[in-house]
Amino acid sequence: MITPLKLASKPTPIEFYTGVFPDFDFHIKRDDLTGLEGSGNKIRKLEYLLADAENNGSDLIITCGGIQSNHCRATMYCCAKLGWQGVCVVKGEKPKIAEGNLLLDFLFNAQVEFLPTAQYLHKEDYIAEMIDDFKKKGHKPYFIPTGGSNGIGALGYIFAMDEMAAYIDRHKIDAVFCAVGSGGTYAGLLMGKYQSSLAVPVYGVLVDETPAFFEAKIKSIIGETEKVLERKFPIRDTDIKLIDGYIGPGYGVPYDEEIAIIRQMARKGLILDPVYTGKTFFGMVDKKSELGFSNPLFIHTGGIFSVFAYPELKTQADFLK
Ligand SMILES: *Cc1c(COP(=O)(O)O)cnc(C)c1O
């Protein structure tokens, strides 16, 4: 078993919202409040991943993601905090001005490598070479995959479910919702549901890829965690409840209904992000009658800094019209 590092502010609060929609109330697990610089879901995974890195004697972390990756930013933050070297391989050309998460990556003194989109598709080769080079220089690099989604990272969300279990029970929560971007959060929540003997359905709203892609990936993450923990989780295919149809034009591309709900919730004092939680929250509200729940718990997985990097939110803001 891996003893996690202490990097996140936990437990995060759960808030109850009433009067926002005419036909239902909801609860929000504020995992956007796991810290400031490290805010969001990734830091829960990093508590386990970086503990594993430490156990391996590593002090140089390599990871990858989009230019506005929350995962890269949270990882680079933890590296700065721990005094380790952080390297992230990001998809796309170097922008003229660093905004949002990328700005923070630079402030945390991360080594950021920009790979053109076509080359990023084969980033594994590039990263393997990088790892070799660092080894030749006497380093012990530790690689964390996209979103920290593997069998070790998912442990963070088994624990998160444990943190919510009593609340779910007491408040008779009848559905749990989270975004699915690389699958680790969802896989962890599903295993956590079994660990905590909860009957509540856990829905994952896709913000990228296809249901078939994520069904396979989630099963493979669960398989990895089973090896790490040396135990089995009796998860059936029907337990994996993925919701498609809310990606919009593509990963990281906001759309009108999403922006409208981000505005609506902001007026209630809650900021959703344009890449993950905006789409997922819209999906939850839109699927309400079809799925027939009435008292859901939405996991707010963070993403605050990308709000400052998306022109869709800036140019469409009412005060700019
Ligand atoms: C990464 C991320 C997600 C998705 O979590 P996965 O474990 O990658 O599926 C959701 N919300 C935010 C804000 C994220 O940064």
Side-chain angles (χ1 to χ4, degrees), residues 2-296:
I2 300 165
T3 307
L5 300 182
K6 245 197 95 33
L7 298 164
S9 300
K10 294 181 306 198
T12 55
I14 301 179
E15 293 172 352
F16 177 59
Y17 284 74
T18 186
V20 179
F21 301 107
D23 53 343
F24 78 113
D25 297 327
F26 54 92
H27 308 251
I28 301 193
K29 172 71 169 170
R30 296 293 305 271
D31 267 12
D32 55 324
L33 300 180
T34 48
L36 182 84
E37 302 86 346
S39 79
N41 60 342
K42 300 310 180 311
I43 198 154
R44 286 190 186 265
K45 304 179 189 182
L46 289 165
E47 290 196 310
Y48 288 88
L49 289 160
L50 297 178
D52 189 47
E54 192 173 56
N55 292 344
N56 282 291
S58 308
D59 60 359
L60 187 154
I61 306 297
I62 303 176
T63 194
C64 54
I67 286 185
Q68 281 305 323
S69 167
N70 297 305
H71 164 69
C72 287
R73 179 260 309 154
T75 308
M76 297 307 112
Y77 159 68
C78 292
C79 286
K81 202 70 186 155
L82 294 164
W84 299 358
Q85 187 175 343
V87 181
C88 48
V89 175
V90 302
K91 178 180 171 182
E93 307 283 342
K94 184 175 183 174
K96 287 208 175 65
I97 292 174
E99 292 192 271
N101 286 300
L102 182 63
L103 168 60
L104 293 177
D105 294 338
F106 285 135
L107 285 172
F108 296 136
N109 198 29
Q111 178 183 333
V112 184
E113 300 290 338
F114 295 88
L115 284 195
T117 307
Q119 200 188 346
Y120 189 83
L121 292 176
H122 311 285
K123 60 184 179 300
E124 290 74 17
D125 305 337
Y126 181 87
I127 290 168
E129 259 176 51
M130 218 177 179
I131 289 174
D132 274 353
D133 281 352
F134 278 124
K135 280 185 183 160
K136 278 181 200 141
K137 287 179 191 146
H139 289 288
K140 268 195 108 181
Y142 182 91
F143 175 65
I144 298 177
T146 307
S149 285
N150 62 16
I152 294 173
L155 294 170
Y157 270 86
I158 296 182
F159 185 87
M161 198 52 141
D162 184 53
E163 207 176 276
M164 294 180 269
Y167 188 97
I168 289 174
D169 225 31
R170 185 156 23 95
H171 292 269
K172 303 192 168 38
I173 299 298
D174 60 0
V176 172
F177 280 85
C178 79
V180 178
S182 62
T185 301
Y186 186 84
L189 288 172
L190 210 51
M191 291 185 276
K193 164 185 144 106
Y194 278 93
Q195 175 133 311
S196 302
S197 308
L198 295 167
V200 67
V202 180
Y203 294 101
V205 178
L206 303 195
V207 302
D208 197 7
E209 293 286 356
T210 61
F213 173 89
F214 274 118
E215 240 167 73
K217 184 160 184 196
I218 287 159
K219 283 187 203 167
S220 126
I221 294 170
I222 291 170
E224 286 173 24
T225 304
E226 288 180 331
K227 277 193 199 130
V228 174
L229 296 181
E230 297 178 3
R231 64 158 289 190
K232 287 276 177 200
F233 292 95
I235 292 167
R236 294 157 303 178
D237 286 4
T238 49
D239 293 324
I240 303 177
K241 298 181 189 302
L242 299 179
I243 297 178
D244 196 12
Y246 297 96
I247 300 172
Y251 171 77
V253 185
Y255 50 91
D256 288 350
E257 297 95 322
E258 179 199 2
I259 291 170
I261 214 149
I262 291 175
R263 292 250 177 77
Q264 185 181 355
M265 289 308 298
R267 289 186 198 117
K268 301 289 173 190
L270 189 88
I271 304 293
L272 298 169
D273 84 288
V275 182
Y276 299 95
T277 52
K279 291 180 183 182
T280 303
F281 196 85
F282 174 60
M284 175 179 84
V285 174
D286 196 51
K287 282 280 181 200
K288 197 229 156 219
S289 45
E290 187 186 321
L291 297 175
F293 58 83
S294 60
N295 191 32

